[in-house]
Amino acid sequence: MSQGLIQGLTDKYIVANPPRRNFLKFAASVSATTAGGMVLSISMPALSQDKQTQSYDELEAGKNVLAPNAFIKIDTNGEVTMIMPKVEMGQGVYTSLPMLLAEELEVDVQTVKLEHAPPNDKLYGDAMLGAQVTGGSTSIRAMWDPLRQAGAVCRSLLVTAAAQKWKVDESTCQARSGVIYHEASGRKLGYGELVKVASALPVLTKVALKDPKDFKVIGTSAKRLDTPDKVNGLAKFGIDAHPDKVKFAVIATSPVFGGKLISVDDSRALKMPGVLQVVKVDNAVAVIGIHTWAAKRGLGALEIKWDEGKSTAVKTGDLIQDLRDASKKPGAVAKKEGNAASAFKKADKTLSVEYEQPFLAHATMEPMNCTVEVGASGCDIWVGTQIPTFAQGMAAKTLGIPVEKVRLHNFLIGGGFGRRLEFDGVVQAVKIAKQVKGPVKVIWTREEDIQHDMFRPYYFDRISAGLDAKGKPVSWSHRIVGSSVMARFAPPAVKNGVDPDAVEVSADPPYELPNLYVDYVRVEPRDVPTAFWRGVGPTRGTFVVESFIDELAALAKVDPVKYRLELLNKTPRLKNALQLAVSKSDWGKPLAKGKGRGVSVMHAFGSFLAMIVEITVNPQGEVKVDKVVCAVDCGLTVNPNTVLAQIEGGVIFGLSAVLYNEITIKNGRVEQTNFNDYRVMRINETPVFDIHLIKSAEAPGGIGEPGTAAIGAALANAVFSATGKRIRKLPIGNQLQA
Amino acid sequence: MATLNINGTTHQVDAPDDMPLLWVIRDIIGLTGTKFGCGIAQCGACTVHIDGQAARSCVLPISAIGDKKITTIEAVGETSAGKSIQKAWLDLEVMQCGYCQSGQIMSACSLLGQHPHPNDEQIDTAMAGNICRCGTYPRIRAAIKVAAKEGA
Amino acid sequence: MKITSGLMNICATIIAFSFSLNVFAISPADIKKGEYLARVGDCVSCHTAPHGKDFAGGLPMLTPVGAIYTTNITPDPETGIGKYTESDFAKALRRGVAKDGHHLYPAMPYPSYAKVSDTDIHYLYLYFKHGVKPVRQANKASEIPWPLNYRFPLAIWNAFFLDKETYKPDPDKDANWNRGAYLVQGLGHCGACHTPRGLAFQEKGLTHESGKFLSGETLEGWSATNLRDDHNTGLGRWSESDIVVYLKSGANQHSSAFGTMTPVINNSTEGMTLEDLTGMSSYLKTIKGSDDKGQKPYKYDPSATLAQFKEPAKHPGAKLYQQYCAACHSQNGQGVAPYLSPLAGNPAVMDPDPSSLINVILNGSPQLKPQGVAAPYNMPKFRHILNDTEVAQLVTFMQKGWNHNLDATDAKQVAKIRKMPPSAH
Ligand code: FES
Ligand code: FES
């Protein structure tokens, strides 16, 4: 059995003292201990067994490793290890980020070994997000400079070291594929041979970076580094953590939001074979077993009494009514240009409509899980998380211990989509583990995962516009009503009552709109917890703006592509993308009965997308998505193949939601349970893709979310084209059924 | 005590009759390549082979297995279909998060075992039970076709 | 203990029955007896709304003429039956006449309860009076439209259809059989679901002497199967112990309980004594069938069905079955009894009325929880994933499959059941 590239952290991780490293500084030159626990070393092919038992301090003390900054470690065999500041959830960062590093370090990216970074905001924080967070399609954008710098600094040290050894001028030495060459003399030294000398050199903080035209790695479809272990079952996700003597827990959380546990009769459960213990936390019960099955069977034998609190009668309709009521009053102004109200009065034609988008679950393929051991020496957490430092901090707070005593071991993530930006599962697992001896793995059943997700908020939008005699919009007002995830997640981001995420795209539409008014009313859905969901603000905003502009085109009796093109002059990259998509599609060609074509454009995350979707609506009112044509300008592309994959995946993710998904609430509890009633698109429903990347030298844009954000309106507009029915409320569901 | 033949090795496991093979493999044997996704046979993440045929291990009580041979993702590469599927998966960069992929690969291998040159209908039938939230379906279809061609 | 007028009443009743009982101390043992009988009668299943309090009523019962809401039978004096005397109670149970004189709809199985002995009525009364927690919850009016909501004709109905006799043991049969017959016909009210009803909603037969008794009926979109000994559609291939195992645990080698039978198992039969269950099964096994109305006796043969899986394009039902059902019920239709129900030869599948099959596919089944322990596997609902045509294809596949050779189902039948609210039971 081949040993994994990114293999489990469970059996052979090194618990070392906090690593003595600092951002872009020589390890040796820094003596202060940085906060943040431990180093995770992952067993890797070239890392021999005895080395794994050495701690970083030993390695560094013996100068057997060159670690000029927090991201790179080169050992005397020349093996390059990259410490990953981001987590891999399928978006390909475990390849695209090493590519940035390898480009400047001059190594073959395929030889780079990877380690998950320990939690440490200082070392691994994302400058755009202000913490060690993977999300918001920022990975490439935020790491673009730091990682290239990290590689370049390290390379320059190696060059200097070689030059010193050979006593030649640095400019006569060249780095290529992990080797420094001195062409004139035909001498060469591998990076490994230079580790000792280089690690004694003073470190530079900044060196000149390559001109993009010289890129050899960036811009290629380099093979992914994380996938070889994903075809043979060796890749380890959080759910695969298996510390010695681990016990297994299955939980039941109060089915009603805000409910509390009153009591539990566990007499039957405790008699069941393999059931070890029943643990109570404030709003949940956990059964601990010798395996997940025993725990699950034990859970099914409990008699639980809940105090269901004040929400027992709540249904989705009540929450929508809350939004509808609030939408009648003005909100916090997000954008005001010109005078939309008076322009509206003077307009030739007007249109005022409402849009609604449902609560959504993330339903990541890997259900929520977290393995925790609370012991005398602190707490170990094994989990795949997008927010390692927050999770660590919350665990420390929950236990009342210093943060250094919480050792968080991060893992590959089986789908994030925003769900693993939250620490609710970690805190709950810590509370359970505190009452259990030894490590315990808490796995949420799929039912728990869906019913106790933190949901994409329900949004209610009022939008109206006035057109002049030529059909051009002269007035545009848009009110967004819904929960503010930001207000909970990052309160300082909410300024003057405006949640910047909730109004994204809506407050900055790509179109020329002379009189624009956008405001936001925050309404929380009582006890229903809300969170970010793939595509965040742009997913919700693009659906409304792009559906509405299509309505205006119809009102003006202008072709929807033509209508957009005329208004897109202030966003030329988007206009260009739209023109490309149109040219690659059959736009304008006649459609057979039941067929429709829809368009949408999207600008967010630093990327520009245009989509044209072809669908068939059958006589039963079921939608089949036939083809998605997409033009993408995401600036300079690090790995084109990854971009294509993200568009395909993002679109399919969005299609499931637009066609089928909604979380509904009845009697204070979520009605959906599993993939049988939270329907997910399957292979037989998948459209054909035709994606075109636009070559660009602009700064790289994010690409994990744009596909999801762009598809909703394109599909809804295609439904209009096929049936004449406007979809103003998602999901499409059975709205088209007679 | 049940006796199970997993990847060519015989295991004595102390597990109740109703226990699904999934948790035996993951929690008792410690092979974690087989994943849990739904527990109700609707996602395919837990797919293994029973005598070469794809089966959802989350709803397969061990009492139903007898002496049939169980193959998991960790050993499927030892079969020729497994090898060509794995290679095609890597060549076409099918995977994203990868969590569903053990199951996808097991279903695809079983498909090739039955239909060495599957048409789209057969691919749909064999693969529609496997959900991928990352949306790798277009590549799965393409990779199956590549593997079929190379296996020929 | 305070002596209430109710108690005085009991006292009188008891004296009338010359029953020895210390009236000043109602014995917990007697209340327990009543509790057991209430379990046999499965009062809680109908008289409790989803997420509601036990016995407080409010469950909608879907009858062909409109929804009826079950009533509050807790001892709350205002909204429940707190003011009922034992004879009021007996009258309601056995005659379908409430204390205020209004007639209950025969969705309340009083024609069956008419068979219940005075002794058992007494214990039941004690339980509902003293063993059940009072809940203040007003009853909900029925949704039966005028003029059908006019209850007076129910008196006439009763004159026609109500057999006022309590159960009379058959001296030719043993005590076990008689006990079973008493339970099946009486408190167990099996016929309320399993006996066909006539135009006036009356059960066409209240004892085995009628050829219709327990021969299967469709109610609330579920087809309650034939419980006579027909080979294919009835209990013909079930042994007495198969029946006991089924009633005790909800599943056996032939089938698993689902749909509206689930609460019957969970709340009633799982807690019955083995003696009572044995009695019921021994009685049931003596009720002759009608030879499946000419169907050939079923013989398992999966070969033609297995062949269909090879050509999914030609067999849409097989394709769907493969995708959604085969993982649990297996291609050969044998499932993994008793955990995952066999479909081949299962009387519920061989029922000529596909309502149950359609319903269980659309709505899944409630969780079986015999002895307070959730069964390891549960049937999920598929209404969100499968359209009417697909469900019809699946049902037809099963009706034809594994040598069943039944008639096909069409999408219209599915559409009808889809529109019905999933049973509140
Ligand atoms: S976990 Fe078995 S099919 Fe989903
Ligand atoms: S690759 Fe992530 S779920 Fe399929």
Side-chain angles (χ1 to χ4, degrees), chain A residues 365 674-675, chain B residues 22-23 35-47 55-59 129-131, chain C residues 327:
Chain A
M365 219 44 228
N674 203 320
F675 291 124
Chain B
L22 170 66
W23 300 113
K35 302 300 191 212
F36 165 62
C38 68
I40 58 164
Q42 293 307 311
C43 79
C46 65
T47 307
R56 308 284 185 241
S57 65
C58 69
V59 291
N130 288 78
I131 287 174

Side-chain angles (χ1 to χ4, degrees), chain A residues 224 231 240 292 446 681-682, chain B residues 27 35 37 86 93 128 137:
Chain A
R224 280 181 55 168
V231 296
D240 303 326
T292 309
R446 175 59 62 191
M681 181 165 260
R682 293 171 183 270
Chain B
D27 293 354
K35 302 300 191 212
Q86 285 176 335
E93 296 283 17
Y137 303 128

Side-chain angles (χ1 to χ4, degrees), chain A residues 89-90 364-366 413-415 417, chain B residues 94-101 104 131-136 140:
Chain A
M89 320 181 260
T364 59
M365 219 44 228
E366 179 191 6
I413 291 180
F417 317 127
Chain B
V94 169
M95 275 155 297
Q96 293 193 21
C97 81
Y99 191 80
C100 73
Q101 299 292 348
Q104 304 279 6
I131 287 174
C132 174
R133 279 296 268 164
C134 297
T136 60
I140 288 174

